[in-house]
Amino acid sequence: VRHMMITNVRGEFSSFQGELSYDPAKPEAARLSVTVETASVNTREPKRDDSKSRRRRDYNFAAAACPDKGNA
């Protein structure tokens, strides 16, 4: 993720799940569903990843209000 248009911030989510449905006879009907637990973000920067700050409502993920994000 680009941070303040100055630097890149790398991170990962440690809690997620997904499901893939695929039929070789109908590849156009393939479906992928993914849900990520937003509070599981880890950028290896304790101040940024602190559970209180990442759960604030004004934080990008607003993990308290939206504990997981699924695909639309």
Side-chain angles (χ1 to χ4, degrees), residues 2-70:
R2 197 90 171 130
H3 175 66
M4 297 181 64
M5 302 306 288
I6 298 170
T7 187
N8 289 323
V9 175
R10 298 188 188 279
E12 62 192 27
F13 294 97
S14 61
S15 183
F16 55 89
Q17 61 184 355
E19 182 178 332
L20 173 64
S21 299
Y22 178 73
D23 180 353
K26 293 178 128 185
E28 69 279 359
R31 294 189 45 88
L32 175 64
S33 175
V34 178
T35 301
V36 177
E37 184 182 328
T38 54
S40 74
V41 66
N42 179 6
T43 63
R44 294 170 191 82
E45 174 56 53
K47 287 183 180 180
R48 181 178 18 248
D49 295 339
D50 175 82
S51 63
K52 291 179 184 175
S53 65
R54 74 174 172 226
R55 290 188 172 102
R56 289 188 336 236
R57 292 190 68 73
D58 62 337
Y59 186 75
N60 288 342
F61 295 130
C66 302
D68 57 43
K69 299 278 187 179

